[in-house]
Amino acid sequence: MEDANSFWIAAPGRGEIRRETLRAPAPGEVIVQALFSGVSRGTESLVFRGGVPAAEYARMRAPFQAGEFPGPVKYGYCSVGRVQKGPAELLGQMVFCLHPHQDRYLVPADSVLVLPDEVPPQRAVLAANLETAVNGIWDAAIQPGDRVAVIGAGSLGCCVAWLAGRMPGCRVQLIDIEPSRAAIANELGVDFAAPGTARGEVDVVVHASGAPAGLALGLRLAGLEAIVLEMSWYGDREVPLPLGAAFHSRRLTLRSSQVGAVGAARRARWSTRARLQLALELLGDPVLDALVDGESRFRNLPQTMARLAQPGAHSSEDGVFLHRVRYD
């Protein structure tokens, strides 16, 4: 029996580090020593504030979640570490796991994925975000040559814009209310626009800003028979939509996307594990390092999460994209 430390949301708005005990691994299990984890700022901030609707408690469970919403609950899904104990072929390997924030953890061996050689562990914390973006690209059915508008230049929106921008002939504009996000758009190789200057008549809109005004903008930018893909999750907030005006005459399709299942068009040939493996392989591009722009230590995570969960608040230490947690 060995000790471990994990981050729990004790109650909405309050986090704490708790001790727990790990048993020895059985055959087919591994113990992972965490090196880094990532805070998925939109979803985890909402969970930290207690914003998960009761009707969604079961569907919102993370793979190795402990406890129940709204708390106490151990939640998270972006962990990178080294295998300490387990099958010989995995010992010492750097792996990614969809596990909450915890310094050491015991999981089935088939729940970890070995990092590709070209992907450093510091960048691998983006795997869950990039997997969500891959699923969004599939759900939006983006094709070569499409005019694409991505609204919301957070880590998820940036991942979607980067993927779409690599597609031959796609003209991608990343749209955000913060002019400073033009720099990240430039690094990702896509255009940037403020909401008031964005090009309309696009083939696909991907909304990832988390703000209802962003989705309303997407409906205005969509061209005839365009797809508007909603990737933001609002928790228990109600969202008003302007479905009058040209919504029907343009024959728009408003579609949701959620990473919990592979989209129907790919489900026959892709598993969730294969999709996550693809995301890890795509992380070989160093340009994605720009999407991890804040870092703090695990022992300070209760205070860090309280800051990150404040709407619109950020500091130079916290960053504005994915926040990385470093383990001693």
Side-chain angles (χ1 to χ4, degrees), residues 165-237:
R166 289 158 60 95
M167 200 167 294
C170 273
R171 291 166 287 174
V172 180
Q173 54 181 337
L174 183 58
I175 302 165
D176 201 276
I177 60 174
E178 291 290 340
S180 61
R181 306 293 170 88
I184 189 68
N186 183 61
E187 289 193 52
L188 298 175
V190 299
D191 295 337
F192 177 81
T197 62
R199 298 187 301 268
E201 296 299 318
V202 301
D203 302 299
V204 179
V205 175
V206 178
H207 178 240
S209 79
L215 181 54
L217 172 65
L219 294 174
R220 293 197 300 272
L221 297 180
L224 182 66
E225 298 193 341
I227 291 174
V228 179
L229 187 77
E230 176 58 279
M231 299 196 72
S232 299
W233 190 62
Y234 300 94
D236 55 6
R237 285 189 294 162

Side-chain angles (χ1 to χ4, degrees), residues 247-271:
F247 178 78
H248 291 284
S249 62
R250 290 186 183 176
R251 299 173 55 84
L252 301 183
T253 297
L254 179 58
R255 182 179 299 170
S256 65
S257 180
Q258 210 278 339
V259 74
V262 177
R266 299 293 191 280
R267 199 170 297 161
R269 296 171 299 282
W270 285 84
S271 65

Side-chain angles (χ1 to χ4, degrees), residues 102-125:
Q102 186 165 322
D103 59 2
R104 299 172 72 246
Y105 48 88
L106 173 70
V107 293
D110 61 5
S111 68
V112 303
L113 287 168
V114 176
L115 303 191
D117 291 340
E118 66 275 15
V119 178
Q122 295 92 329
R123 190 187 308 149
V125 293

